[in-house]
């Protein structure tokens, strides 16, 4: 048994197959022969659609796999970047501290 039960072809597919079969009908061809040709065309269309769906599924799987791999490679890099960050202090507080000590020292020196 197959995985999925047989599905009736869509009305659109049946109409397309009928149009194609009538467009290529031979002068001495009977309606039964045309109907059989239309069924063959319809099966071909269904087979093509199945192939396209399978290709789309495979491409989607590959795309998802690449996205997962890309996320896995990005995450460790972010952690490394966090450990590498060096904070630089601004020069103004240190300058003011040194200046305050110098002014205080100069005041004590001049006051004694």
């Amino acid at each position: 048994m197959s995985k999925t039960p047989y599905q009736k072809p869509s009305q659109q597919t049946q109409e397309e197959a009928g149009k194609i079969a009538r467009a290529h009908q031979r002068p001495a061809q009977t309606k039964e022969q045309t109907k059989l040709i239309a069924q063959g065309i319809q099966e071909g269309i269904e087979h093509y659609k199945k192939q396209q769906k399978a290709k789309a599924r495979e491409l989607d799987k590959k795309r998802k796999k690449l996205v997962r791999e890309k996320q896995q490679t990005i995450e460790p890099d972010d952690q490394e970047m966090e450990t590498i960050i060096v904070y630089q202090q601004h020069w103004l507080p240190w300058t003011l501290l040194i200046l305050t000590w110098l002014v205080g020292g100069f005041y004590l020196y001049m006051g004694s």
Side-chain angles (χ1 to χ4, degrees):
M1 290 187 80
S2 64
K3 294 180 181 179
T4 58
Y6 178 75
Q7 295 178 351
K8 186 176 180 183
S10 69
Q11 186 66 28
Q12 182 182 5
T13 305
Q14 290 175 352
E15 290 173 5
E16 281 183 44
K19 286 179 186 177
I20 293 170
R22 284 189 296 276
H24 296 296
Q25 189 175 12
R26 301 285 179 194
Q29 190 172 322
T30 65
K31 286 186 178 183
E32 279 298 316
Q33 291 173 333
T34 305
K35 187 175 180 180
L36 289 172
I37 291 171
Q39 286 176 350
I41 293 170
Q42 179 180 330
E43 289 176 12
I45 292 172
E46 290 173 9
H47 182 69
Y48 175 78
K49 286 181 179 180
K50 286 179 185 177
Q51 285 179 336
Q52 294 304 311
K53 286 181 184 179
K55 286 180 183 178
R57 281 193 302 269
E58 287 298 318
L59 286 174
D60 192 43
K61 286 180 185 178
K62 287 180 183 178
R63 182 186 57 81
K64 287 180 180 178
K65 184 178 179 182
L66 287 173
V67 167
R68 271 188 261 126
E69 288 175 357
K70 189 174 181 181
Q71 286 177 348
Q72 288 175 355
T73 57
I74 289 174
E75 290 175 4
D77 291 343
D78 290 343
Q79 291 174 356
E80 288 177 17
M81 290 175 69
E82 290 176 10
T83 57
I84 295 175
I85 294 175
V86 176
Y87 294 102
Q88 293 182 343
Q89 296 180 349
H90 201 271
W91 56 269
L92 182 63
W94 288 105
T95 306
L96 291 175
L97 178 67
I98 293 170
L99 187 63
T100 305
W101 279 94
L102 288 174
V103 170
F106 183 71
Y107 179 75
L108 288 176
Y109 178 73
M110 294 305 271
S112 34

